[in-house]
Amino acid sequence: MKKLGFGLMRLPLTDPADNRTIDVERTAKMADRFLAEGFTYFDTAAPYHQGESEVAFKKAVAERYPRESYIITDKLSLFKIEKAEDIPSFFDTQLEKLGVGYLDYYLLHAMSESSYSRACEFGAFEFAAKKKAEGKIKHVGFSFHDSPEVLDRILTEHPEMEVVQLQINYLDWHDPGVRARECYEVARRHGKDIIIMEPVKGGALANVSCEAVELFCAARPQLSTAGWAVSFCASLPGVIMVLSGMSTEEQMEDNISYMKDFQALTDDEIMLCKRAGEIVKNDNAVACTACRYCVEGCPQKVAIPDIFRIYNNYLRFQKANPEGARRGYDHVTENLGRASDCIECGLCEESCPQHLDIRAYLKEIAEVLE
Ligand code: SF4
Ligand code: SF4
């Protein structure tokens, strides 16, 4: 199986201000290219594009290709479910929206210490096992955002889990908050297959500072900066899939170019990625992955990830030209809340898998960009 997965959480939109308006025609063309090059793996979840990602998959892939020609992963998003009795209908709705009779992988979504307790309380592991026995799920696992200790506990208590989806990239490898290397090692110790999410950290590692770009160019000029980030992940032993949330045809063509006949990075090249990680870390940018989990619940409709993207670009490239960043900021907040509209309710921070201090960042940004 080729190791590049098409993450369906950042699909092209017909209206950039409305995350639900997926451009299905473009998505279908991208899926055609992807499948034509021998890639097969698609990843989605109910919260992506506020429920529209699953429907887009049905129209772009399920209705146009035989079931055996692709692999589809969906997730049990317990944070979208109020009580255990609602899980079966949540699952049935997913199959219906996707237009498939079974899932290749079903992952308990975003496990952490607290969501693990909820999963146990709701009987989520038992539900997944039952659906697997019925043939509605081929493989079970979970995606994960917490410490290696919590990961070790879940894998010890649930050895039936076949696969773990982890946030790994060269920036987070040694990050004391994410502890990507340690989580990776725990999963390896338990002998699990590993799927990697956020290899480019929500696009941040496609857009690194000149100093890091120069390092990469000197080693392999033909490989893009995003290509280095994805290759770092795909080179790790035990990794069966690296997800890329592709939004444009250009990103897809770039990914295809080096993942089609993937060649693992050498030890020296892995070291170089880690050095680049040190450089990127010193940018002091906001470690937002643009997952958008925080957006839906914000009472002020603050454009949180878009504001962070503009601010990161400002920190990395535009400090000498803040006016350019302010124009970008005005544009993304034209029909949405600005940083200063935040009423500090804290709801966004509860749903942020990166545990970002969103309110503090917004205050800082309001001072700089408004
Ligand atoms: S803390 Fe601010 S940005 Fe976060 S949800 Fe509340 S109002 Fe929105
Ligand atoms: S602030 Fe957190 S929840 Fe919101 S998009 Fe960024 S990483 Fe995701």
Side-chain angles (χ1 to χ4, degrees), residues 77-361:
S77 309
L78 287 168
F79 47 90
K80 295 286 238 180
I81 295 171
E82 281 178 19
K83 50 188 189 309
E85 299 78 62
D86 294 341
I87 292 180
S89 61
F90 183 83
F91 179 79
D92 290 343
T93 304
Q94 287 182 298
L95 290 185
E96 196 186 318
K97 282 172 101 175
L98 291 167
V100 297
Y102 69 91
L103 295 171
D104 297 281
Y105 289 85
Y106 198 50
L107 308 182
L108 274 61
H109 198 174
M111 283 296 100
S112 62
E113 192 166 21
S114 59
S115 58
Y116 177 52
S117 302
R118 193 173 160 88
C120 294
E121 189 192 320
F122 279 24
F125 289 92
E126 292 76 9
F127 175 80
K130 181 168 166 275
K131 289 292 159 191
K132 190 179 168 192
E134 288 172 9
K136 296 282 185 190
I137 299 170
K138 299 288 175 204
H139 302 284
V140 293
F142 59 93
S143 63
F144 183 76
H145 293 278
D146 208 324
S147 69
E149 292 78 18
V150 174
L151 180 59
D152 188 43
R153 184 180 154 210
I154 300 176
L155 289 175
T156 303
E157 293 176 1
H158 289 281
E160 77 280 13
M161 293 288 104
E162 298 165 87
V163 62
V164 186
Q165 184 165 306
L166 297 174
Q167 176 177 321
I168 294 180
N169 52 64
Y170 69 72
L171 185 62
D172 291 328
W173 190 243
H174 291 298
D175 184 274
V178 182
R179 299 170 73 188
R181 181 182 61 80
E182 293 171 81
C183 287
Y184 166 78
E185 285 169 358
V186 169
R188 289 288 283 161
R189 220 170 34 244
H190 283 268
K192 303 300 171 188
D193 285 343
I194 298 168
I195 296 170
I196 292 185
M197 57 183 156
E198 304 297 358
V200 192
K201 202 151 171 92
L205 300 183
N207 206 8
V208 294
S209 57
C210 303
E211 203 186 333
V213 171
E214 279 164 18
L215 267 188
F216 289 141
C217 280
R220 270 207 221 184
Q222 74 282 14
L223 193 56
S224 64
T225 46
W228 277 92
V230 174
S231 299
F232 172 84
C233 295
S235 301
L236 295 167
V239 169
I240 59 163
M241 195 56 58
V242 182
L243 302 178
S244 175
M246 293 176 254
S247 309
T248 65
E249 293 78 359
E250 291 73 24
Q251 286 167 0
M252 173 158 285
E253 291 304 330
D254 182 47
N255 281 343
I256 288 173
S257 69
Y258 56 85
M259 290 304 287
K260 196 168 137 184
D261 300 303
F262 178 67
Q263 304 209 321
L265 298 184
T266 63
D267 289 348
D268 284 349
E269 288 171 334
I270 296 275
M271 286 305 296
L272 195 142
C273 287
K274 290 175 186 168
R275 268 174 48 214
E278 289 305 314
I279 294 170
V280 175
K281 199 164 284 165
N282 290 334
D283 289 342
N284 288 325
V286 186
C288 170
T289 62
C291 67
R292 308 193 80 85
Y293 291 168
C294 56
V295 171
E296 214 177 318
C298 173
Q300 297 296 95
K301 302 277 170 254
V302 177
I304 302 167
D306 308 298
I307 289 174
F308 287 167
R309 177 172 48 81
I310 297 286
Y311 189 52
N312 283 347
N313 274 336
Y314 160 77
L315 290 174
R316 288 183 178 130
F317 310 111
Q318 293 176 300
K319 273 194 165 164
N321 174 26
E323 279 318 308
R326 285 190 189 116
R327 275 197 300 278
Y329 178 81
D330 289 342
H331 178 67
V332 299
T333 55
E334 204 174 346
N335 299 311
L336 292 163
R338 292 162 76 83
S340 57
D341 291 324
C342 170
I343 53 169
E344 301 191 42
C345 67
L347 283 174
C348 52
E349 291 174 19
E350 286 172 23
S351 55
C352 177
Q354 309 304 321
H355 311 294
L356 297 179
D357 198 348
I358 296 175
R359 288 172 285 188
Y361 278 127

Side-chain angles (χ1 to χ4, degrees), residues 43-95:
D43 171 272
T44 188
Y48 300 168
H49 292 281
Q50 296 174 45
E52 294 302 315
S53 166
E54 291 165 327
V55 180
F57 172 83
K58 177 180 182 173
K59 293 183 186 155
V61 181
E63 287 180 347
R64 301 171 61 239
Y65 286 91
R67 180 64 187 88
E68 64 280 5
S69 61
Y70 57 83
I71 291 170
I72 178 70
T73 293
D74 207 335
K75 311 194 185 75
L76 178 48
S77 309
L78 287 168
F79 47 90
K80 295 286 238 180
I81 295 171
E82 281 178 19
K83 50 188 189 309
E85 299 78 62
D86 294 341
I87 292 180
S89 61
F90 183 83
F91 179 79
D92 290 343
T93 304
Q94 287 182 298
L95 290 185

